[in-house]
Amino acid sequence: QVQLVESGGGLVQAGGSLRLSCAASGSIRSKDAMGWWYRQAPGKGRELVATITSRGITYTADSVKGRFFISRNNAKNTLYLQMNSLKPEDTAMYYCAARNDGDDKDYWGQGTQVTVSS
């Protein structure tokens, strides 16, 4: 059984920063898993925000490139999303997900709300 719990969301002014955390427990292999963040705003589909492989290779979507940064701490079994220079269009529910390398099963968290005021 795997559980992912996001935290760190909130209400911020445009231009501000937030750091989201995703703590994993259960059978996720910290040293051998891929993690990613995605978001969903009202009236929109899910958007992939950033990914990080077990080897630390990262990807960020064009919409957040240069502002958002994904990282991980295997000792803490935790995934992070540092969000800087936030814009109102970043307002969404943010979700983390993870997959053990070599497996087909994805795990996901319940989400944390990020609201950016203009």
PDB file of all heavy atoms in Angstrom, residues 1-2 4 7 12 22 32 39 42 47 50 62 70-71 82 92 106 108:
ATOM      1  N   GLN A   1       0.828  -1.180   0.000  1.00  0.00           N
ATOM      2  CA  GLN A   1       0.000   0.000   0.000  1.00  0.00           C
ATOM      3  C   GLN A   1       0.879   1.253   0.000  1.00  0.00           C
ATOM      4  O   GLN A   1       1.887   1.306   0.700  1.00  0.00           O
ATOM      5  CB  GLN A   1      -0.936   0.020   1.209  1.00  0.00           C
ATOM      6  CG  GLN A   1      -1.909   1.172   1.200  1.00  0.00           C
ATOM      7  CD  GLN A   1      -2.865   1.136   2.373  1.00  0.00           C
ATOM      8  OE1 GLN A   1      -2.773   0.257   3.228  1.00  0.00           O
ATOM      9  NE2 GLN A   1      -3.771   2.079   2.402  1.00  0.00           N
ATOM     10  N   VAL A   2       0.494   2.246  -0.808  1.00  0.00           N
ATOM     11  CA  VAL A   2       1.235   3.492  -0.934  1.00  0.00           C
ATOM     12  C   VAL A   2       0.318   4.655  -0.601  1.00  0.00           C
ATOM     13  O   VAL A   2      -0.849   4.687  -1.010  1.00  0.00           O
ATOM     14  CB  VAL A   2       1.804   3.669  -2.353  1.00  0.00           C
ATOM     15  CG1 VAL A   2       2.384   5.066  -2.536  1.00  0.00           C
ATOM     16  CG2 VAL A   2       2.860   2.614  -2.625  1.00  0.00           C
ATOM     17  N   LEU A   4       0.468   8.988  -0.651  1.00  0.00           N
ATOM     18  CA  LEU A   4       1.144  10.235  -0.954  1.00  0.00           C
ATOM     19  C   LEU A   4       0.320  11.367  -0.354  1.00  0.00           C
ATOM     20  O   LEU A   4      -0.889  11.433  -0.570  1.00  0.00           O
ATOM     21  CB  LEU A   4       1.280  10.452  -2.462  1.00  0.00           C
ATOM     22  CG  LEU A   4       1.998   9.368  -3.274  1.00  0.00           C
ATOM     23  CD1 LEU A   4       2.002   9.743  -4.752  1.00  0.00           C
ATOM     24  CD2 LEU A   4       3.419   9.178  -2.779  1.00  0.00           C
ATOM     25  N   SER A   7       1.331  18.831   0.768  1.00  0.00           N
ATOM     26  CA  SER A   7       1.157  19.934   1.694  1.00  0.00           C
ATOM     27  C   SER A   7       1.868  21.162   1.140  1.00  0.00           C
ATOM     28  O   SER A   7       2.658  21.062   0.201  1.00  0.00           O
ATOM     29  CB  SER A   7       1.698  19.588   3.083  1.00  0.00           C
ATOM     30  OG  SER A   7       3.093  19.343   3.043  1.00  0.00           O
ATOM     31  N   VAL A  12      -1.666  33.090  -2.031  1.00  0.00           N
ATOM     32  CA  VAL A  12      -0.527  34.001  -2.108  1.00  0.00           C
ATOM     33  C   VAL A  12      -0.800  35.096  -3.123  1.00  0.00           C
ATOM     34  O   VAL A  12      -1.624  34.944  -4.029  1.00  0.00           O
ATOM     35  CB  VAL A  12       0.782  33.274  -2.482  1.00  0.00           C
ATOM     36  CG1 VAL A  12       1.156  32.242  -1.432  1.00  0.00           C
ATOM     37  CG2 VAL A  12       0.657  32.621  -3.847  1.00  0.00           C
ATOM     38  N   CYS A  22       5.447  16.544  -1.033  1.00  0.00           N
ATOM     39  CA  CYS A  22       4.697  15.311  -1.238  1.00  0.00           C
ATOM     40  C   CYS A  22       5.429  14.207  -0.505  1.00  0.00           C
ATOM     41  O   CYS A  22       6.476  13.734  -0.964  1.00  0.00           O
ATOM     42  CB  CYS A  22       4.587  15.012  -2.735  1.00  0.00           C
ATOM     43  SG  CYS A  22       3.835  13.427  -3.139  1.00  0.00           S
ATOM     44  N   ASP A  32      14.457   4.429  -6.372  1.00  0.00           N
ATOM     45  CA  ASP A  32      14.150   3.780  -7.644  1.00  0.00           C
ATOM     46  C   ASP A  32      12.714   4.073  -8.060  1.00  0.00           C
ATOM     47  O   ASP A  32      11.941   3.163  -8.358  1.00  0.00           O
ATOM     48  CB  ASP A  32      14.393   2.276  -7.531  1.00  0.00           C
ATOM     49  CG  ASP A  32      14.424   1.575  -8.878  1.00  0.00           C
ATOM     50  OD1 ASP A  32      14.723   2.223  -9.891  1.00  0.00           O
ATOM     51  OD2 ASP A  32      14.145   0.346  -8.905  1.00  0.00           O
ATOM     52  N   ARG A  39      -1.377  19.593 -12.287  1.00  0.00           N
ATOM     53  CA  ARG A  39      -2.364  20.498 -11.716  1.00  0.00           C
ATOM     54  C   ARG A  39      -3.626  20.500 -12.558  1.00  0.00           C
ATOM     55  O   ARG A  39      -3.610  20.144 -13.727  1.00  0.00           O
ATOM     56  CB  ARG A  39      -1.795  21.912 -11.605  1.00  0.00           C
ATOM     57  CG  ARG A  39      -1.480  22.580 -12.939  1.00  0.00           C
ATOM     58  CD  ARG A  39      -0.774  23.913 -12.734  1.00  0.00           C
ATOM     59  NE  ARG A  39      -0.500  24.593 -13.992  1.00  0.00           N
ATOM     60  CZ  ARG A  39       0.184  25.714 -14.096  1.00  0.00           C
ATOM     61  NH1 ARG A  39       0.673  26.302 -13.005  1.00  0.00           N
ATOM     62  NH2 ARG A  39       0.389  26.267 -15.281  1.00  0.00           N
ATOM     63  N   PRO A  42     -10.167  24.871 -12.483  1.00  0.00           N
ATOM     64  CA  PRO A  42     -11.574  24.735 -12.856  1.00  0.00           C
ATOM     65  C   PRO A  42     -11.789  24.948 -14.345  1.00  0.00           C
ATOM     66  O   PRO A  42     -11.296  25.913 -14.926  1.00  0.00           O
ATOM     67  CB  PRO A  42     -12.260  25.830 -12.034  1.00  0.00           C
ATOM     68  CG  PRO A  42     -11.377  26.023 -10.853  1.00  0.00           C
ATOM     69  CD  PRO A  42      -9.982  25.837 -11.383  1.00  0.00           C
ATOM     70  N   GLU A  47      -2.904  19.205 -16.236  1.00  0.00           N
ATOM     71  CA  GLU A  47      -1.701  19.666 -16.917  1.00  0.00           C
ATOM     72  C   GLU A  47      -0.480  19.135 -16.178  1.00  0.00           C
ATOM     73  O   GLU A  47      -0.332  19.353 -14.974  1.00  0.00           O
ATOM     74  CB  GLU A  47      -1.659  21.193 -16.963  1.00  0.00           C
ATOM     75  CG  GLU A  47      -0.394  21.761 -17.576  1.00  0.00           C
ATOM     76  CD  GLU A  47      -0.282  23.263 -17.441  1.00  0.00           C
ATOM     77  OE1 GLU A  47      -1.041  23.850 -16.643  1.00  0.00           O
ATOM     78  OE2 GLU A  47       0.566  23.858 -18.138  1.00  0.00           O
ATOM     79  N   ALA A  50       5.715  19.114 -13.841  1.00  0.00           N
ATOM     80  CA  ALA A  50       7.132  18.785 -13.739  1.00  0.00           C
ATOM     81  C   ALA A  50       7.293  17.323 -13.385  1.00  0.00           C
ATOM     82  O   ALA A  50       6.430  16.730 -12.737  1.00  0.00           O
ATOM     83  CB  ALA A  50       7.826  19.657 -12.692  1.00  0.00           C
ATOM     84  N   ASP A  62       6.531  24.195 -20.287  1.00  0.00           N
ATOM     85  CA  ASP A  62       6.877  25.534 -20.766  1.00  0.00           C
ATOM     86  C   ASP A  62       6.175  26.629 -19.961  1.00  0.00           C
ATOM     87  O   ASP A  62       6.739  27.707 -19.749  1.00  0.00           O
ATOM     88  CB  ASP A  62       6.526  25.679 -22.242  1.00  0.00           C
ATOM     89  CG  ASP A  62       7.456  24.903 -23.150  1.00  0.00           C
ATOM     90  OD1 ASP A  62       8.545  24.509 -22.700  1.00  0.00           O
ATOM     91  OD2 ASP A  62       7.090  24.694 -24.325  1.00  0.00           O
ATOM     92  N   ILE A  70      11.393  21.209  -9.591  1.00  0.00           N
ATOM     93  CA  ILE A  70      11.078  19.965  -8.915  1.00  0.00           C
ATOM     94  C   ILE A  70      12.353  19.371  -8.330  1.00  0.00           C
ATOM     95  O   ILE A  70      13.431  19.471  -8.923  1.00  0.00           O
ATOM     96  CB  ILE A  70      10.391  18.974  -9.879  1.00  0.00           C
ATOM     97  CG1 ILE A  70       9.863  17.748  -9.126  1.00  0.00           C
ATOM     98  CG2 ILE A  70      11.335  18.575 -11.010  1.00  0.00           C
ATOM     99  CD1 ILE A  70       8.987  16.847  -9.993  1.00  0.00           C
ATOM    100  N   SER A  71      12.232  18.767  -7.164  1.00  0.00           N
ATOM    101  CA  SER A  71      13.373  18.127  -6.525  1.00  0.00           C
ATOM    102  C   SER A  71      12.877  16.987  -5.646  1.00  0.00           C
ATOM    103  O   SER A  71      11.671  16.811  -5.468  1.00  0.00           O
ATOM    104  CB  SER A  71      14.193  19.132  -5.711  1.00  0.00           C
ATOM    105  OG  SER A  71      13.423  19.680  -4.656  1.00  0.00           O
ATOM    106  N   GLN A  82       9.114  23.681  -5.864  1.00  0.00           N
ATOM    107  CA  GLN A  82       9.337  25.071  -5.506  1.00  0.00           C
ATOM    108  C   GLN A  82       8.717  25.941  -6.584  1.00  0.00           C
ATOM    109  O   GLN A  82       9.064  25.822  -7.753  1.00  0.00           O
ATOM    110  CB  GLN A  82      10.835  25.366  -5.388  1.00  0.00           C
ATOM    111  CG  GLN A  82      11.171  26.811  -5.061  1.00  0.00           C
ATOM    112  CD  GLN A  82      10.700  27.229  -3.685  1.00  0.00           C
ATOM    113  OE1 GLN A  82      10.907  26.496  -2.721  1.00  0.00           O
ATOM    114  NE2 GLN A  82      10.065  28.388  -3.592  1.00  0.00           N
ATOM    115  N   ALA A  92      -4.705  26.515  -9.101  1.00  0.00           N
ATOM    116  CA  ALA A  92      -5.158  25.169  -9.439  1.00  0.00           C
ATOM    117  C   ALA A  92      -5.016  24.271  -8.225  1.00  0.00           C
ATOM    118  O   ALA A  92      -4.410  24.641  -7.219  1.00  0.00           O
ATOM    119  CB  ALA A  92      -4.335  24.596 -10.599  1.00  0.00           C
ATOM    120  N   ASP A 106       0.650   3.642 -11.109  1.00  0.00           N
ATOM    121  CA  ASP A 106       0.882   4.994 -10.633  1.00  0.00           C
ATOM    122  C   ASP A 106       0.134   5.209  -9.315  1.00  0.00           C
ATOM    123  O   ASP A 106      -0.960   4.699  -9.117  1.00  0.00           O
ATOM    124  CB  ASP A 106       0.396   6.027 -11.643  1.00  0.00           C
ATOM    125  CG  ASP A 106       1.199   6.029 -12.920  1.00  0.00           C
ATOM    126  OD1 ASP A 106       2.349   5.568 -12.910  1.00  0.00           O
ATOM    127  OD2 ASP A 106       0.670   6.503 -13.943  1.00  0.00           O
ATOM    128  N   TRP A 108      -1.000   8.390  -6.526  1.00  0.00           N
ATOM    129  CA  TRP A 108      -1.218   9.824  -6.508  1.00  0.00           C
ATOM    130  C   TRP A 108      -1.752  10.283  -5.165  1.00  0.00           C
ATOM    131  O   TRP A 108      -2.309   9.511  -4.394  1.00  0.00           O
ATOM    132  CB  TRP A 108      -2.179  10.242  -7.625  1.00  0.00           C
ATOM    133  CG  TRP A 108      -3.533   9.606  -7.526  1.00  0.00           C
ATOM    134  CD1 TRP A 108      -4.643  10.110  -6.919  1.00  0.00           C
ATOM    135  CD2 TRP A 108      -3.917   8.332  -8.053  1.00  0.00           C
ATOM    136  NE1 TRP A 108      -5.701   9.243  -7.038  1.00  0.00           N
ATOM    137  CE2 TRP A 108      -5.287   8.141  -7.726  1.00  0.00           C
ATOM    138  CE3 TRP A 108      -3.252   7.335  -8.773  1.00  0.00           C
ATOM    139  CZ2 TRP A 108      -5.988   6.994  -8.083  1.00  0.00           C
ATOM    140  CZ3 TRP A 108      -3.949   6.184  -9.138  1.00  0.00           C
ATOM    141  CH2 TRP A 108      -5.298   6.029  -8.795  1.00  0.00           C
TER     142      TRP A 108
END
